[in-house]
Amino acid sequence: YAPEQTYAGLNVEQIKAMCRERNLQVSGTKFDLVLRILHCDNDSTPKGTTLKRAATDVITSVNATTGEVVEKHVPKKRKKAKLSSSGVYTRVQKKVESVRQKKYQSHWGSKTHSSDVYGLVASILHRDIVASEEGYLTKDPKYALEIAEAACTSLTDNFGTIRRPGYDDLAGWSEIDASLRKIVEAVKPILSGEERERCADWIEALHNEGDPYGLTMYTDLLKTVDILRGTTDESVEENGEEVNARKLAAVDDIIPKKSGGNGVCKDDSIIAKENAVNATQ
């Protein structure tokens, strides 16, 4: 077959594309792929073996001109594997522990690690649960909560390993906050009182880890906790007073107070706090 003359200049991805055109499997080495193509094109599969073809669906269509029925084989779409709580916990834990990798050792690289961790948790909650094609929020909200708990608990348990936790350049905490609210609102009606309290506890624990670093300034995880415990004051929340009070308190921890001779904070500190709250409204 002299495959070296035909395939020597092609890379693996190009050869895989040729396999897909023939509905062949794309696993194995470059040699395996080339051999698979040659057996297919020359109908020379060794006796006693079966050519490894990809799983396909048959799509039937009718030629509008001739009226002939045409069958076409297309590769089957792989069904995405369902996440497990233990797998999600480990995945987040490994991402936190990746702080030891070389790319995170430089001054600038170390700032990106925490953002990558928060981004991963946010992606699990939003892409894999809230926006999932499987519709977990309506079909299986308890499963959605189970995965969210695994991701957030792993972040809480391993938070101390993050060297520069105050950086959240990808707005991961905001996405985590929004996704948790949707999950909680979907699952709350079917939770027992004990389950609601347990859920409130781990969300509050997550808030307490991020709060000293200003990560919760533009989130409201505590409102989600209140929703679970049934202590939300709707009239106060509508006016935004409770939210603003929390955010002002967070700014107090970040912005140092400068006192003049009479012990009164200078105007720049007051303005900074007001701007921080107004920016979120």
Side-chain angles (χ1 to χ4, degrees):
Y1 302 136
E4 66 279 358
Q5 299 177 6
T6 308
Y7 301 99
L10 302 179
N11 58 37
V12 173
E13 288 304 316
Q14 290 172 317
I15 296 175
K16 283 185 177 181
M18 296 176 68
C19 286
R20 292 188 184 99
E21 290 173 359
R22 295 164 173 77
N23 292 320
L24 299 174
Q25 289 186 6
V26 294
S27 60
T29 64
K30 184 175 181 179
F31 176 82
D32 294 331
L33 298 175
V34 171
L35 191 61
R36 206 168 291 156
I37 293 172
L38 293 174
H39 284 320
C40 177
D41 291 351
N42 296 279
D43 194 20
S44 59
T45 304
K47 189 175 181 179
T49 63
T50 304
L51 186 63
K52 291 186 176 181
R53 293 190 176 276
T56 60
D57 287 322
V58 178
I59 297 178
T60 304
S61 60
V62 179
N63 190 305
T65 304
T66 63
E68 180 183 0
V69 177
V70 180
E71 291 186 349
K72 183 179 180 181
H73 290 263
V74 296
K76 285 185 177 180
K77 289 185 178 180
R78 288 187 177 182
K79 189 176 181 180
K80 192 174 181 180
K82 196 173 183 179
L83 298 175
S84 69
S85 56
S86 59
V88 167
Y89 186 98
T90 301
R91 185 179 171 192
V92 174
Q93 182 181 40
K94 287 183 176 180
K95 189 62 181 176
V96 173
E97 293 173 349
S98 69
V99 69
R100 302 181 183 89
Q101 293 180 1
K102 186 177 180 180
K103 65 179 180 180
Y104 294 130
Q105 298 309 305
S106 67
H107 173 73
W108 296 109
S110 64
K111 294 181 179 181
T112 65
H113 175 254
S114 57
S115 295
D116 290 348
V117 172
Y118 306 148
L120 172 61
V121 176
S123 175
I124 292 172
L125 267 58
H126 177 72
R127 185 192 64 192
D128 296 333
I129 300 298
V130 174
S132 171
E133 294 179 356
E134 283 75 12
Y136 292 127
L137 289 189
T138 54
K139 295 180 181 178
D140 195 356
K142 278 199 171 184
Y143 167 76
L145 183 65
E146 177 187 335
I147 297 302
E149 179 180 0
C152 294
T153 302
S154 183
L155 175 58
T156 301
D157 291 348
N158 297 282
F159 198 84
T161 305
I162 304 175
R163 292 178 184 170
R164 308 184 80 171
Y167 289 92
D168 184 21
D169 298 335
L170 303 177
W173 276 76
S174 294
E175 188 62 62
I176 292 170
D177 177 42
S179 296
L180 279 177
R181 179 72 57 80
K182 292 177 182 177
I183 293 171
V184 164
E185 289 174 346
V187 75
K188 181 185 173 184
I190 61 174
L191 293 180
S192 66
E194 183 179 345
E195 289 172 328
R196 290 181 186 181
E197 184 60 31
R198 173 184 170 182
C199 182
D201 285 345
W202 60 257
I203 293 177
E204 189 172 27
L206 177 65
H207 168 88
N208 291 340
E209 288 291 348
D211 192 49
Y213 300 94
L215 295 168
T216 60
M217 185 186 302
Y218 301 115
T219 66
D220 203 15
L221 291 169
L222 292 182
K223 180 181 177 182
T224 304
V225 171
D226 291 342
I227 291 173
L228 284 162
R229 290 175 173 160
T231 57
T232 303
D233 186 341
E234 297 295 340
S235 61
V236 173
E237 288 295 344
E238 287 178 3
N239 295 327
E241 296 172 7
E242 183 178 338
V243 177
N244 288 347
R246 289 176 187 163
K247 291 173 181 176
L248 280 171
V251 176
D252 274 332
D253 293 336
I254 296 173
I255 301 176
K257 293 183 178 180
K258 302 176 183 178
S259 298
N262 56 0
V264 178
C265 294
K266 292 184 178 180
D267 290 343
D268 59 345
S269 178
I270 298 174
I271 293 172
K273 290 199 297 182
E274 291 176 348
N275 289 342
V277 173
N278 293 336
T280 65
Q281 297 178 343

